[in-house]
Amino acid sequence: MFVVATAGHVDHGKSTLVRALTGMEPDRWAEERRRGMTIDLGFAWTTLPSGGTVAFVDVPGHERFVPNMLAGVGPVPAALIVVAADEGWMPQSAEHLAALDALGVGHGLLAVTRADLADPGPATARARTEIAATSLGAVPAVAVSGLTGAGLPELRAALDRLGAQLPAPVVDDPVRLWVDRSFTVRGSGTVVTGTLGGGRLRVGDELELAGADEPVRVRGLHCLGEARAEAAAVARVAVNLRGTPRDRLGRGDALLTPGRFHHTDLVDVRLTGDPAADLPATLTLHVGSAAVPVRVRPLGPDTVRLRLARPLPLLVGDRALLRDPGRHHVSGGVRVLDVAPPPLGRRGAAAARAQVLAELDGRPDLAGELRRRRLIRAGALVRMGVPVPTGPGRDSPSPVAGDWLADPGHWRWLGEQVTEQVTRYAREHPLEPGMPVDALRQRLALPDRVLVEALVRPPLRIHAGRVGAAGVDVLPEAVARAVRRVRAEYGDRPFRAPETDRLVDLGLGPREIGAAVRAGALLRLADNVVLLPDVLDDAVRVLAGLPQPFTLSAARQALDTTRRVAVPLLELLDRRGATRRLPDDARIVVT
Ligand SMILES: Nc1nc2c(ncn2[C@@H]2O[C@H](COP(=O)(O)OP(=O)(O)OP(=O)(O)O)[C@@H](O)[C@H]2O)c(=O)[nH]1
Ligand SMILES: [Mg+2]
């Protein structure tokens, strides 16, 4: 299936043509039929000679209903431009074409209708010239009459060729279904319709609805009037939502794959086409089926910041248009450059931002995003529309911690900052065993503790919630010297502890021992019983070599130590689960 939106001036025969092609009535409302005028979007479909299906979104031509027209064409990448042979190019022919151009619609057809009333030649020539100057480029033209049916076979063939040219949809993409209609079906509840441009929907799926706390669930699906268990893009779909009241959503809302979109009320965009120099300060942004008032802040010659009256799930690269509702005027197209732009607080920030934006083109650029954002989660980038390749591959960046990605230069700088900050802290707080991890996190303005953990490299390390040099280096010099003496004297008798007198001689009182223990330079077994910190594994190895179970005395002898050490050492090993004490006080090594 492919979807085509009509476009063209009021009364030029859009609905008549859709009716003639499909046999279906696009004007759904009694009022529309009474007035002979389309007010809101109409939907119809038919099978083409190739066997393929085309679905039409039929739009109103009257200038009062341009917002409805925009909601219809927003999510649809192809247009059937209708011009009446007897009237020729008219104001809404131009406004609709400007809208298609602003949205970057690249595929279309020209149908010159009412060819039974006048020579279609002049209208065709004018329309082709106008269209050729837009994103649509040169389009095929067909003269038709909705009244006599002349030209309809040629138009069907042209539609088939158009369908074959359209880019293949990405069915693995997350779903962003812009709602163009919502209504209640008795017995089923709320139903919304839209054009599914990418991804896949299944009955039972959970979807996200902006502004709703709870996910919504797909209770039923219809495509072109038939119930389906699944619908893949491109498709016109009607989605029955379980337990979602009708007033919860309507045109302009979007149903989303949960967690895959960033909702934003602030975007930096490039104006496309010929942006007016004097853009009004308030305009309406039309994107997908949504229309949201925005405040416009000019930045560069063709870049502006938009503050949206309500957040939308926008992606880098999205096309949208700005319209001045008061002047009935499409002010221009926009291409979204950044959906999470930095605040512009400082003086000169706007000018600097304009320079950054001048380099962007709306194509997702992972390396550029990392350079500009310096540190960001992969998931956050994906939600902005910047794909992050995963798995082995030249292009997949390796996370620095968790799913955090970093600009390599910035990451190096942060590593240097860690050393600098920790060294300064040690100087200012000589008796503390290092800088608290959270203080360091705040000092470096890091958003996540795992980043601090990843930045700390030997000789620094994290011990007991602080970052310090491993072992003695963080200690005041006198304590460090004493610990080095202990190491020198006891290195070859690792399970002997200095006697209390010796500790006093070395200047290791309770305070100093405490500092050394916190720094991981000594291991305290009991008051005044300390060992070097790295002996526990060796102790377990020695004990494992004994016949099991073993007694305290056997352990003492094997470790070549005294009861003063052996008793608390074994208790510590018990607590750590390395040994287990049996009811008869013998122990075994737990393997
Ligand atoms: N003679 C003749 N009349 C046509 C043809 N197509 C449409 N009409 C008439 O033109 C009038 C407008 O046709 P519609 O199909 O409603 O025009 P529209 O473009 O859908 O109008 P809006 O939706 O209001 O913008 C109707 O009276 C149609 O009967 C045609 O090919 N030949
Ligand atoms: Mg109509």
Side-chain angles (χ1 to χ4, degrees), residues 271 277 279-281 295-301 303-305 344 350 354:
L271 304 170
L279 217 51
R295 293 197 58 81
V296 181
R297 172 169 181 178
L299 291 172
T303 51
V304 296
R305 173 160 293 191
L344 301 176

Side-chain angles (χ1 to χ4, degrees), residues 289-377:
S289 60
V292 175
V294 292
R295 293 197 58 81
V296 181
R297 172 169 181 178
L299 291 172
D302 64 349
T303 51
V304 296
R305 173 160 293 191
L306 302 177
R307 166 78 62 187
L308 282 57
R310 68 180 170 90
L312 291 177
L314 298 183
L315 299 173
V316 169
D318 271 345
R319 303 293 300 250
L321 71 80
L322 290 168
R323 184 165 182 271
D324 188 340
R327 286 166 48 198
H328 284 285
H329 173 66
V330 172
S331 305
V334 306
R335 182 170 212 127
V336 175
L337 302 178
D338 192 340
V339 295
L344 301 176
R346 290 174 296 104
R347 266 178 76 87
R353 183 63 185 162
Q355 276 186 359
V356 171
L357 295 177
E359 306 290 314
L360 306 185
D361 62 4
R363 265 184 301 215
D365 163 25
L366 179 56
E369 292 291 347
L370 289 183
R371 209 165 48 245
R372 287 186 294 277
R373 300 184 189 275
R374 306 200 290 194
L375 207 50
I376 187 163
R377 299 193 118 110

